């Protein structure tokens, strides 16, 4: 069998290595430049590849094409493959054929990375033989080569889900659905939501779908009456049919064979959105038969990924928080809502057509200073000029930190939560968050 792989990033190279290990004839093609580390992996496995072009004749001679998630279906090579009825699948679909391990698959517009990391931490801390993979940045296909795990916690983007057909999760999690990537879905929320619901496809009576019952788009799209698995809705609002919910600082799980009451008071995660993320992860842990005590201990030891409401340090009773991953308005809403102290808010960058109106009341209530960090800050100034007492602007992260330090009082929080993309001043959101962290450590913490 001949397999062509489009894209030589983490997922593409992982798929190539698995295909080679299973004795398939493999060819890898990438329109861009391939990283040296990936070239070395392909060369060591004697896998032929090309970069900077797609050789149509060779690719279209394959029996099956594995497509990296970043490549849209409207790309010429994908369009031609579809016209010739050559199957085009994702790395996840391909990897699922070669293991009998259970899959715990997590998706959602916001919160999926935190939920994935927390779920993995709860299970691993309890001693389960579990691996982490998917959109988190680790190839599932490459891990499946050794096939030494009992279960995989897999973060999935909508782009990955679009090319998954026979793959089945044992536990699927859907955190929420809000507008994002609509250019890939003909600007249709219905089509984007349907893509996200694919996480629960092919389920049987032994499988579970853990979902946010408070999310309007999930409620409109999910058809429980035709669903073969067990639905596990979680809620903060007391939605009907709830199975997982919060009472004070306790999360309660009430399923026929999976019951629990977990105290979350020692968790470091803040904000309403993280209450949802935690309920989802706790629900999975209980479905995997982890004890309440083990979950509580793991919640206390969990450290979230960098740049997601990440504490950087405290000086003179002022807390500095890096939330550089908050590149849209909704993510910032969760940050502002979750922090109870007065806030000096650092925001700005490349505006993505943002509507800031949902942040106005939170800003009026909590934000004492807005530091606009970007090349064009007019929209932020217009939105919050009559709401926030002090507004400043800069293109220097060091100046933003110095100014914040000078204006902060004991008990305040200095929050980097941009609501915008980073590409005007930084390489990406990680670079922006790292520069903020370094500036705080140098200027404030004197490290």
């Amino acid at each position: 069998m001949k397999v062509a792989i489009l894209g030589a990033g983490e997922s593409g190279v992982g798929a190539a290595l698995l295909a080679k290990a299973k004795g398939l004839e493999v060819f890898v093609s990438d329109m861009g430049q391939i990283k040296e580390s990936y070239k070395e992996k392909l060369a060591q496995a004697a896998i032929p590849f090309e970069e900077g072009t797609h050789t149509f004749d060779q690719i279209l001679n394959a029996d099956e094409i594995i497509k990296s998630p970043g490549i849209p279906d409207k790309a010429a090579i994908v369009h031609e493959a579809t016209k010739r009825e050559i199957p085009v699948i994702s790395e996840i679909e391909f990897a699922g054929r070669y293991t009998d391990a259970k899959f715990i698959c997590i998706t959602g517009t916001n919160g999926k990375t935190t939920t994935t990391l927390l779920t993995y931490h709860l299970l691993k801390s309890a001693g389960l033989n579990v691996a982490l993979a998917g959109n988190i940045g680790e190839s599932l296909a490459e891990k499946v080569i050794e096939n030494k795990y009992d279960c995989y916690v897999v973060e999935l983007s909508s782009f990955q889900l679009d090319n998954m057909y026979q793959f089945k999760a044992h536990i699927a999690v859907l955190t929420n659905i809000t507008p994002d990537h609509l250019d890939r879905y003909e600007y249709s929320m219905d089509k984007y939501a349907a893509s996200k619901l694919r996480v629960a496809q092919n389920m049987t009576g032994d499988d579970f779908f853990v979902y946010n019952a408070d999310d309007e788009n999930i409620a409109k799209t999910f058809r429980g009456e035709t669903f073969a698995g067990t639905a596990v809705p979680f809620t903060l609002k007391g939605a009907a049919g709830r199975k997982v919910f919060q009472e004070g600082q306790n999360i309660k799980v009430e399923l026929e064979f999976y019951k629990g009451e977990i105290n979350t008071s020692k968790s470091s995660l803040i904000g309403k959105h993280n209450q949802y993320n935690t309920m989802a992860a706790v629900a999975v842990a209980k479905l995997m038969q982890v004890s309440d005590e083990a979950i509580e201990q793991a919640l206390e030891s969990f450290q979230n990924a960098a740049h997601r409401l990440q504490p950087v340090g405290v000086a003179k009773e002022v807390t500095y928080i890096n939330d550089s991953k908050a590149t849209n308005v909704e993510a910032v809403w969760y940050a502002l809502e979750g922090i109870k102290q007065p806030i000096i808010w650092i925001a700005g960058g490349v505006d993505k057509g943002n509507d800031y109106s949902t942040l106005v009341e939170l800003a009026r209530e909590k934000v004492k200073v807005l530091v606009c960090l970007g090349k064009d800050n007019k929209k932020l100034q217009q939105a919050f000029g009559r709401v926030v007492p002090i507004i400043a602007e800069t293109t220097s992260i060091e100046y933003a930190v110095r100014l914040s330090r000078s204006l902060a009082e004991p008990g305040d929080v200095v929050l980097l939560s941009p609501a915008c993309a980073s590409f005007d001043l930084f390489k990406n959101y990680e670079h922006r968050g790292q520069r903020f962290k370094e500036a705080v450590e140098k200027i404030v913490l004197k490290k």
Side-chain angles (χ1 to χ4, degrees):
M1 179 176 173
K2 295 180 180 179
V3 174
I5 294 174
L6 301 180
E10 180 70 15
S11 68
V13 171
L17 294 172
L18 176 59
K20 181 74 174 184
K22 297 303 176 182
L24 306 182
E25 186 177 332
V26 192
F27 177 67
V28 177
S29 178
D30 196 312
M31 277 296 288
Q33 298 301 305
I34 303 174
K35 287 183 180 179
E36 288 301 321
S37 59
Y38 291 138
K39 286 183 186 179
E40 289 175 12
K41 281 189 173 185
L42 293 171
Q44 287 172 4
I47 297 172
F49 63 89
E50 64 180 358
E51 58 183 338
T53 188
H54 285 322
T55 303
F56 275 46
D57 288 346
Q58 188 163 0
I59 295 168
L60 297 172
N61 191 40
D63 299 301
E64 191 168 55
I65 292 173
I66 301 169
K67 178 177 76 69
S68 293
I71 301 172
D73 287 341
K74 64 183 179 183
I77 185 65
V78 179
H79 179 75
E80 186 62 28
T82 303
K83 192 165 74 172
R84 299 191 188 192
E85 298 185 346
I86 302 170
V88 179
I89 65 170
S90 74
E91 171 230 351
I92 306 295
E93 174 84 0
F94 182 63
R97 299 172 181 172
Y98 295 100
T99 178
D100 293 325
K102 291 182 177 179
F103 291 108
I104 298 161
C105 296
I106 298 166
T107 194
T109 307
N110 292 303
K112 60 182 175 291
T113 298
T114 297
T115 304
T116 300
L117 291 172
L118 180 56
T119 300
Y120 171 70
H121 180 72
L122 296 184
L123 301 184
K124 188 171 179 62
S125 297
L128 275 70
N129 180 25
V130 58
L132 185 67
N135 196 56
I136 201 82
E138 298 188 35
S139 167
L140 175 63
E142 189 168 356
K143 291 181 185 294
V144 164
I145 294 171
E146 291 187 352
N147 199 22
K148 62 182 182 181
Y149 297 100
D150 297 328
C151 60
Y152 294 90
V153 178
V154 186
E155 179 186 329
L156 294 174
S157 69
S158 58
F159 301 161
Q160 289 168 314
L161 287 162
D162 287 338
N163 293 104
M164 291 165 57
Y165 305 100
Q166 304 303 317
F167 183 96
K168 179 180 78 71
H170 172 54
I171 302 174
V173 177
L174 182 53
T175 58
N176 49 59
I177 303 175
T178 60
D180 201 12
H181 303 301
L182 293 186
D183 55 323
R184 286 274 289 257
Y185 297 96
E186 301 175 8
Y187 296 94
S188 166
M189 267 301 293
D190 288 342
K191 290 183 178 180
Y192 175 60
S195 174
K196 286 296 190 186
L197 261 294
R198 289 172 69 90
V199 74
Q201 68 184 1
N202 303 320
M203 283 188 156
T204 67
D206 296 327
D207 304 316
F208 301 90
F209 179 38
V210 179
Y211 68 94
N212 185 343
D214 298 338
D215 187 281
E216 293 180 1
N217 287 311
I218 296 176
K220 284 194 297 185
T221 309
F222 177 54
R223 296 288 173 262
E225 63 274 11
T226 60
F227 177 62
T230 299
V232 185
F234 58 90
T235 177
L236 286 175
K237 299 179 181 178
R242 67 185 188 177
K243 301 295 183 184
V244 184
F245 54 96
Q246 187 116 8
E247 284 189 355
Q249 292 186 317
N250 291 341
I251 291 174
K252 291 190 175 183
V253 179
E254 295 186 351
L255 287 150
E256 185 177 358
F257 301 110
Y258 308 93
K259 297 184 183 297
E261 183 167 346
I262 293 89
N263 185 281
T264 65
S265 61
K266 294 183 179 179
S267 170
S268 63
L269 295 174
I270 62 174
K272 186 178 290 184
H273 65 306
N274 277 323
Q275 287 180 293
Y276 282 114
N277 296 338
T278 303
M279 281 193 291
V282 165
V284 174
K286 291 308 299 180
L287 291 171
M288 295 298 288
Q289 302 185 33
V290 179
S291 71
D292 294 359
E293 182 182 12
I295 294 173
E296 289 176 1
Q297 290 174 353
L299 286 174
E300 184 177 0
S301 62
F302 176 68
Q303 292 184 341
N304 202 0
H307 317 298
R308 293 169 177 82
L309 285 171
Q310 177 189 28
V312 177
V314 180
K316 297 183 178 179
E317 298 180 50
V318 176
T319 302
Y320 293 78
I321 294 177
N322 168 21
D323 192 34
S324 183
K325 180 66 166 63
T327 59
N328 59 50
V329 169
E330 183 176 22
V332 175
W333 187 93
Y334 283 127
L336 296 180
E337 185 275 335
I339 295 170
K340 305 308 177 188
Q341 305 96 308
I343 298 169
I344 296 175
W345 176 27
I346 302 173
V350 180
D351 186 276
K352 300 190 290 186
N354 291 346
D355 176 3
Y356 294 108
S357 60
T358 58
L359 301 180
V360 168
E361 287 309 310
L362 280 172
R364 190 192 310 277
E365 175 190 347
K366 296 186 176 185
V367 177
K368 57 191 290 187
V369 179
L370 170 59
V371 181
C372 300
L373 178 65
K375 290 184 177 179
D376 184 358
N377 303 305
K378 294 187 185 70
K379 198 168 176 181
L380 278 169
Q381 291 174 331
Q382 289 170 356
F384 301 103
R386 298 183 180 180
V387 176
V388 177
I390 301 173
I391 295 182
E393 61 178 328
T394 182
T395 57
S396 165
I397 192 80
E398 290 80 12
Y399 178 81
V401 170
R402 285 194 185 93
L403 180 62
S404 299
R405 180 189 61 176
S406 68
L407 296 173
E409 299 174 317
D412 288 352
V413 170
V414 175
L415 171 70
L416 171 68
S417 193
C420 298
S422 56
F423 305 120
D424 56 341
L425 299 174
F426 308 96
K427 297 175 185 176
N428 46 44
Y429 78 83
E430 293 100 333
H431 182 221
R432 175 171 57 193
Q434 184 60 32
R435 287 285 307 281
F436 174 73
K437 180 174 180 287
E438 290 169 355
V440 171
E441 289 176 345
K442 180 181 178 182
I443 297 166
V444 180
L445 305 178
K446 307 295 183 183
K447 289 187 176 180

